[in-house]
Amino acid sequence: MTLLPKRAALLGLVFALTASVTFGQDPSVPFDMSGEREPVVEEKPAVEGGTPVTTTQTKEPEQKAVTPDPLARRYIVPATSLLLEGEAASQSFPVFLTPQQAESATSINLGYSNAVVVAPESSRLTVVVNDVTVGELPVQSAEGTKDMQFDLPKGVLRPGLNRVTFNAVHRHRTDCTVRSTYDLWTAIDPARTYLAVPADISGRLLTTDDIAAIGLGPTGQTKFVMVVPDMGQPVATNALMRLSQGLALMAKMPNQTFDVVDTLPATAGAGEMMVLVGTADDLAALLPSLPVTARSSALATFVEAPAGGRKVFVVSGPDWPSIEGAVEGMLAPIDRPLGVTREALSVRQRNATEMPLVSGEMSLSFATLGVRTGEFSGRRYRTGFDIGIPSDFYADAYGEARLLLDAAYSSEVLPGSHIDIYVNGNIATTVPITSRNGGIFRHLPIRVTMRHFRPGPNRVDIETVLMTAADKICAPGASASEEPRFALFDSSEFRMPRFARIARLPNLSALSGTGFPYNGQVDPTALYLDRLDADTLSTSATFLGKMAVSSGRALLVRPESSALAIGERNAILVGTISQLPPLVLGQTHIAAESASSWGGPAEGGGQQGATQEAFDEWQSRVRGGSWRGQIAALETWLQETFDISLSSLRLLPGEEAIVAPDDTARFLVAQGDSPEETATWTVLSAPTGVDLKAGMAAMAQDDRWQQLDGYVSLDSKDAEALDTRAVSSTRFVSTQPWTFSNLRLIAANWLSSNILAYAALFCVLSILLGIATSGLLRRFGRGG
């Protein structure tokens, strides 16, 4: 009997060592035998540009007839990588196919890897095409990226828009805590995830309707290569800018860019389309198959490429006015006329659906928003939806939306569990679960502050954190239980209240979200390009293409040869910093000395950095005893404790700070008023033409484009987020008929943003009320 404790201790030691080897724990660290096990810490794939990048190396991948020709792949994921995180995750993407592609596609390939802590016996990865499950497999690729191939049922793909969805269900090997759910992930490799289509059909577009099927490259990019032999002619600029907007509206891809060149490239890769633009005489030498009708009339059509095997899109005619006519003929069927309001934002890249535009008081069910009824058996459940907000949204200081939640939770769920609502990644509200016996929510009202909403696309996420007694014990196999704990029903609703409608300028978030203020004007926007070279034209075409998709229409532009001739008109100015006039820099709050210092020799940048470091050091030395330091400390305390900044305690708005880009910045977008404050100027600039083109290409990526905000946004090569400068002085622009209800809402939001003005007004009204009351009492007294 005395040997039993020793034998038990020995078995326990062997078990601990075995578990440490099996689950990746260091044998030198004692194994925690309590119910609250520490989760295995594993580094997720690195993040590049706000999106995770898979860094795992392939180790004996399991392949099944992977298509060798890259041109035979219709890539699906419009990003450099895709990470499905948590216990339940889902992502959907649109894939536009021509009739020939939809008929000939035979299989879908998937490349994936996952965290080592994911339990393969209870974790599943599912591929769904147009609501048809085409593949399901256990998540078991922790050692490297694994390639899988699934046959597509006949008829599951259709011409036009198709929806491909990746669903992941993860369970932890050993841990049952909420914290451990953050260690669960599956990484989808976009370069190895695609529809297999015969190479002679994949990139072969026949009509203008097929331009939407341009597709993606292996890194989620879409590129239009515009070959313009005579790009230096000023008469060609307007046609090129209008054509770039038309192509962008036809494709509507999230990461599309334009590359203007003067020679025809030898080949075009996946997600690329060659567009030849010029008169018949200019293109005859480049394109032997050019139709002879181009010498007498305008045309816009696909023709055989000189190398054969593919087609190129040609826009040509006897002269440039006829080419402009061909471009306008392309735009006519897809352009939204002025005065016609839209009901949805045409951005499909998030959930493969167009998001509704909420322009006022509105109620939308979750079913309408794409959230389906679902049951959940884990610890942390997350889902969400997208909505669009108009450019004149003005309710970020006082407004509250509501979620009317239809949900249920089982009796296992303990008090301390909660439901969190996020808006654009920011926590908006938290609702605790207090009952011990389970319950059903029927239109549970959850107030959601609107301070984090912005013009354009917005993401609302619902995250439920569930705690149970079984998870505290964490018995073997408990994490794999499929007994539902929580259910969310698609009869839930999102209700937006009536909000103030008045536009504010400058406002780069409205520019990126809806194209404001250029999206609805009748007169053409002045477009100034400092030179008509490949870099500047490529930058302008990419920017106007993004603006067209955000606006839902092609913008009217009028090229100007001089920035000083713009006057009091809305304008877009593109050029290197040294070529922009000082007047333009001053109006958009860019330091005049940046024209010579930005992007200069390294010595100057180093001296400027050393000066700034010395200044910061002396400021820290004297800050403790100076009154400015005390004010700064007070401002920090107010911000952290009451979410109040000193800028909101001003009676009058302050001036915008002048921005001097440092050497880490390579590109900027700035917005300001015209000299008489009747129009808006937007500037795109960089130190060199190469930086101008590269910076705009980086800014055109969807995750970066949605970060534009304030009056200046600077892009750096190494930073994951834009450096944005908040607006201090706002110019209001009326967009709606003047009504008392709208004026009341405008006043409510303005007073909520300017607390000191509200307090002063309250004091004045209180004094007036006191005077009036005193007068009435005196009068009544004399009457008595």
Side-chain angles (χ1 to χ4, degrees):
M1 298 296 291
T2 58
L3 296 177
L4 290 178
K6 295 182 179 181
R7 185 172 301 173
L10 180 60
L11 290 175
L13 178 60
V14 172
F15 175 79
L17 291 174
T18 304
S20 67
V21 173
T22 303
F23 303 124
Q25 184 175 328
D26 188 350
S28 63
V29 179
F31 187 77
D32 186 1
M33 297 296 292
S34 65
E36 189 73 16
R37 297 184 179 92
E38 290 294 327
V40 176
V41 178
E42 180 181 8
E43 186 177 352
K44 294 181 183 179
V47 175
E48 178 181 341
T51 55
V53 179
T54 307
T55 58
T56 53
Q57 300 296 321
T58 303
K59 182 177 181 181
E60 298 181 359
E62 183 177 323
Q63 297 187 357
K64 297 181 181 179
V66 177
T67 308
D69 187 357
L71 296 180
R73 303 178 180 183
R74 286 304 313 272
Y75 294 100
I76 298 170
V77 181
T80 55
S81 68
L82 172 64
L83 205 65
L84 303 176
E85 299 182 89
E87 293 178 296
S90 178
Q91 282 281 355
S92 299
F93 302 101
V95 179
F96 195 97
L97 300 175
T98 66
Q100 297 78 15
Q101 292 170 350
E103 184 178 357
S104 60
T106 58
S107 63
I108 182 170
N109 285 64
L110 171 68
Y112 81 99
S113 60
N114 58 268
V116 69
V117 296
V118 174
E121 65 275 5
S122 54
S123 303
R124 309 293 292 177
L125 181 61
T126 309
V127 181
V128 181
V129 178
N130 293 333
D131 295 328
V132 176
T133 299
V134 298
E136 185 175 5
L137 68 156
V139 181
Q140 52 180 5
S141 182
E143 296 183 354
T145 303
K146 179 182 293 187
D147 293 302
M148 298 298 295
Q149 186 180 75
F150 305 104
D151 294 333
L152 293 173
K154 189 68 175 178
V156 69
L157 294 176
R158 51 178 177 256
L161 193 65
N162 295 266
R163 180 188 178 103
V164 179
T165 303
F166 302 103
N167 297 321
V169 175
H170 300 133
R171 290 297 181 265
H172 202 284
R173 288 179 182 268
T174 60
D175 207 318
C176 304
T177 62
V178 173
R179 187 162 63 90
S180 69
T181 63
Y182 293 92
D183 299 326
L184 304 173
W185 53 264
T186 292
I188 305 294
D189 188 349
R192 299 160 75 159
T193 302
Y194 52 87
L195 294 172
V197 180
D200 58 340
I201 295 177
S202 176
R204 196 173 183 84
L205 308 181
L206 304 177
T207 67
T208 54
D209 292 335
D210 294 342
I211 294 177
I214 180 176
L216 303 164
T219 58
Q221 311 298 307
T222 300
K223 180 188 290 187
F224 293 93
V225 181
M226 303 180 72
V227 183
V228 189
D230 202 7
M231 68 173 69
Q233 284 197 26
V235 69
T237 303
N238 188 59
L240 290 178
M241 297 302 106
R242 292 284 288 174
L243 177 59
S244 64
Q245 296 182 78
L247 294 173
L249 284 172
M250 291 177 179
K252 290 182 181 177
M253 302 305 291
N255 306 314
Q256 54 193 10
T257 59
F258 289 82
D259 190 6
V260 181
V261 298
D262 56 3
T263 58
L264 184 65
T267 60
E272 295 183 5
M273 189 176 86
M274 292 187 188
V275 183
L276 277 71
V277 187
T279 63
D281 293 336
D282 295 335
L283 299 183
L286 297 177
L287 197 62
S289 58
L290 180 69
V292 295
T293 55
R295 297 188 177 274
S296 58
S297 61
L299 63 86
T301 185
F302 282 95
V303 301
E304 292 291 339
R310 292 177 66 91
K311 285 181 175 289
V312 295
F313 190 66
V314 177
V315 182
S316 185
D319 49 32
W320 280 103
S322 63
I323 294 175
E324 289 190 29
V327 172
E328 296 303 323
M330 286 177 53
L331 282 170
I334 61 173
D335 200 11
R336 180 168 58 93
L338 292 173
V340 177
T341 59
R342 51 180 172 172
E343 297 181 354
L345 297 185
S346 299
V347 283
R348 305 190 185 100
Q349 64 270 22
R350 294 195 177 188
N351 283 322
T353 57
E354 293 186 343
M355 62 184 68
L357 182 64
V358 182
S359 56
E361 187 175 9
M362 187 178 294
S363 179
L364 298 168
S365 68
F366 277 21
T368 303
L369 294 168
V371 180
R372 302 181 179 181
T373 298
E375 295 181 336
F376 180 65
S377 61
R379 290 134 202 88
R380 184 171 61 93
Y381 176 72
R382 191 180 182 99
T383 187
F385 56 87
D386 299 289
I387 60 169
I389 299 293
S391 55
D392 56 357
F393 170 79
Y394 187 56
D396 55 350
Y398 82 100
E400 287 184 338
R402 284 197 173 192
L403 282 173
L404 301 180
L405 208 63
D406 288 346
Y409 61 97
S410 70
S411 57
E412 290 183 89
V413 178
L414 299 176
S417 304
H418 50 90
I419 301 172
D420 301 326
I421 310 299
Y422 294 83
V423 177
N424 293 326
N426 301 290
I427 185 84
T429 189
T430 296
V431 178
I433 295 177
T434 58
S435 176
R436 288 182 174 273
N437 301 316
I440 296 178
F441 298 136
R442 180 59 182 169
H443 270 39
L444 173 70
I446 302 176
R447 296 185 298 178
V448 180
T449 176
M450 294 200 292
R451 63 177 302 180
H452 300 300
F453 285 100
R454 51 172 285 161
N458 291 263
R459 177 71 179 179
V460 179
D461 286 303
I462 304 164
E463 183 176 271
T464 305
V465 176
L466 304 171
M467 295 183 291
T468 66
D471 288 342
K472 293 182 179 181
I473 300 173
C474 199
S479 62
S481 173
E482 297 183 0
E483 184 67 25
R485 298 176 175 179
F486 180 80
L488 180 67
F489 305 105
D490 60 10
S491 57
S492 304
E493 295 182 8
F494 173 80
R495 288 188 180 177
M496 177 69 80
R498 182 181 292 108
F499 53 83
R501 299 285 301 275
I502 190 168
R504 294 168 290 172
L505 292 169
N507 190 351
L508 289 178
S509 65
L511 177 84
S512 66
T514 61
F516 186 83
Y518 308 104
N519 57 349
Q521 63 183 57
V522 177
D523 299 326
T525 297
L527 176 65
Y528 169 74
L529 309 179
D530 71 338
R531 61 185 66 185
L532 300 180
D533 61 3
D535 293 332
T536 307
L537 289 171
S538 299
T539 301
S540 305
T542 300
F543 179 74
L544 289 174
K546 295 293 293 186
M547 290 279 289
V549 175
S550 299
S551 305
R553 63 162 57 98
L555 307 179
L556 294 171
V557 296
R558 178 177 297 166
E560 296 288 346
S561 58
S562 172
L564 301 178
I566 293 174
E568 294 298 311
R569 290 183 293 163
N570 285 343
I572 298 171
L573 303 99
V574 184
T576 56
I577 191 72
S578 60
Q579 298 297 319
L580 295 176
L583 174 63
V584 173
L585 299 180
Q587 291 301 125
T588 52
H589 314 289
I590 303 172
E593 59 268 20
S594 299
S596 58
S597 63
W598 189 19
E603 290 80 3
Q607 180 64 32
Q608 182 181 4
T611 302
Q612 183 64 35
E613 290 178 4
F615 180 81
D616 293 340
E617 182 180 353
W618 275 99
Q619 187 179 35
S620 63
R621 289 180 183 178
V622 302
R623 182 172 180 175
S626 66
W627 62 272
R628 290 185 178 179
Q630 295 174 3
I631 291 177
L634 174 63
E635 182 177 10
T636 302
W637 179 79
L638 288 173
Q639 182 71 39
E640 294 177 352
T641 307
F642 301 106
D643 197 18
I644 296 175
S645 62
L646 292 185
S647 60
S648 63
L649 300 178
R650 296 173 180 170
L651 282 174
L652 297 176
E655 294 293 331
E656 308 292 5
I658 299 299
V659 176
D662 57 25
D663 291 339
T664 62
R666 67 170 175 180
F667 180 78
L668 66 79
V669 180
Q671 195 172 81
D673 292 330
S674 60
E676 297 184 11
E677 300 184 355
T678 59
T680 301
W681 292 358
T682 301
V683 168
L684 283 70
S685 189
T688 65
V690 174
D691 288 331
L692 189 69
K693 179 181 176 180
M696 186 62 238
M699 189 76 74
Q701 308 311 299
D702 185 62
D703 58 342
R704 234 164 173 78
W705 180 256
Q706 296 301 330
Q707 294 177 24
L708 279 173
D709 202 359
Y711 68 96
V712 174
S713 293
L714 299 106
D715 176 61
S716 175
K717 296 179 182 180
D718 302 323
E720 297 176 0
L722 297 181
D723 178 11
T724 60
R725 309 299 170 88
V727 178
S728 298
S729 179
T730 297
R731 175 168 64 94
F732 290 97
V733 179
S734 176
T735 58
Q736 304 293 321
W738 292 106
T739 62
F740 175 77
S741 60
N742 194 39
L743 284 174
R744 179 182 65 83
L745 295 172
I746 293 172
N749 197 78
W750 189 88
L751 291 172
S752 299
S753 302
N754 298 271
I755 302 173
L756 192 58
Y758 175 79
L761 180 62
F762 182 80
C763 291
V764 170
L765 292 177
S766 299
I767 293 172
L768 292 177
L769 179 61
I771 293 173
T773 303
S774 177
L776 287 174
L777 290 176
R778 289 179 182 178
R779 183 176 180 180
F780 291 155
R782 285 197 301 268

